[in-house]
Amino acid sequence: MTPQKYGSSPEFFETLYRKAEDPWNFRNSDYERHRYAAIVDNVSDRQFRSAFEAGCAIGELTALLAPFCDSLDAMDCSLTAVDTARYRCRYYPHVHVRQGTLPNDLPSKMYDLIVFSELGYYFTREDLAVLSTQLWSKLKPGGRLIACHWLGHSEDHQLHGAEVHEIMCRVLQDCGDLKPPARGYTLQRWSKGNDEH
């Protein structure tokens, strides 16, 4: 599962983070802060024993998720971003941030929570379908998968955000709890087994 466009390669992201520590203004953008709040709102009803955040970037969302997790693994393909995320989460010893790409470096352990945000449109339709199945397989019974993606257009994306969620719904054979699009993004939550939507 290798990205087919330079705009979705690890080298592309590493170059961005070397040029600017926060290239998408994760810290101060109203869009990002609203998106983070929506994701946190979908996890704040319980404490998760183990969680995984794919594509954690500089760790802004990671730090917000940390209080609701006993253990949180976060991963990004850019080592520069990983270093920044580790510093951002330095006060959370239960947060572990490492460099890696999907699906090659998908952790072998199982999780109660998986957050897949602003990442799905960097894959082809076929690769995203396979990855969706793999992420679901890493979710424990009673666990929760949350996906959140921008609904705008970018030449760096291989898929539109709406396509990402359509593919995930088809693969998981369930549309879960789909929130109405808000402020330019869509958020969806799937529950496995005895966890209610």
Side-chain angles (χ1 to χ4, degrees):
M1 194 180 295
T2 303
Q4 295 179 356
K5 296 170 65 179
Y6 179 66
S8 54
S9 70
E11 294 78 15
F12 169 78
F13 291 106
E14 179 62 18
T15 299
L16 279 179
Y17 285 111
R18 286 185 179 181
K19 287 182 178 178
E21 185 183 74
D22 187 4
W24 283 281
N25 196 22
F26 291 122
R27 293 193 183 101
N28 301 307
S29 161
D30 287 341
Y31 165 79
E32 298 294 353
R33 304 319 295 188
H34 190 275
R35 183 173 65 84
Y36 295 158
I39 293 172
V40 170
D41 186 56
N42 277 271
V43 304
S44 60
D45 60 318
R46 60 181 276 197
Q47 189 74 11
F48 296 89
R49 294 185 63 184
S50 59
F52 173 59
E53 181 193 3
C56 66
I58 61 172
E60 289 298 305
L61 177 59
T62 317
L64 295 174
L65 293 172
F68 305 101
C69 309
D70 295 338
S71 174
L72 173 56
D73 295 334
M75 188 173 73
D76 198 272
C77 66
S78 164
L79 181 57
T80 299
V82 165
D83 288 341
T84 303
R86 285 173 176 163
Y87 184 78
R88 175 68 177 86
C89 298
R90 64 194 181 280
Y91 299 120
Y92 298 106
H94 63 293
V95 173
H96 309 281
V97 186
R98 68 183 183 93
Q99 183 186 24
T101 59
L102 294 177
N104 296 337
D105 300 308
L106 187 65
S108 59
K109 62 194 289 188
M110 303 287 288
Y111 295 98
D112 299 301
L113 171 67
I114 296 176
V115 176
F116 185 68
S117 179
E118 302 283 50
L119 193 60
Y121 28 55
Y122 292 108
F123 296 90
T124 65
R125 298 180 67 89
E126 295 76 14
D127 288 347
L128 178 61
V130 172
L131 179 58
S132 298
T133 299
Q134 291 174 318
L135 290 174
W136 189 252
S137 74
K138 295 297 179 184
L139 201 63
K140 295 178 183 178
R144 190 175 293 172
L145 169 63
I146 294 176
C148 185
H149 290 84
W150 181 52
L151 294 175
H153 296 271
S154 173
E155 61 183 17
D156 297 329
H157 295 173
Q158 301 197 54
L159 299 172
H160 186 268
E163 289 182 282
V164 171
H165 287 253
E166 289 169 6
I167 292 167
M168 294 183 74
C169 283
R170 176 175 55 79
V171 170
L172 300 179
Q173 299 181 346
D174 180 10
C175 279
D177 184 9
L178 176 62
K179 309 295 181 183
R183 298 202 181 187
Y185 65 84
T186 187
L187 187 149
Q188 209 151 3
R189 186 177 84 178
W190 292 268
S191 300
K192 194 173 193 177
N194 64 330
D195 184 39
E196 295 181 356
H197 293 278

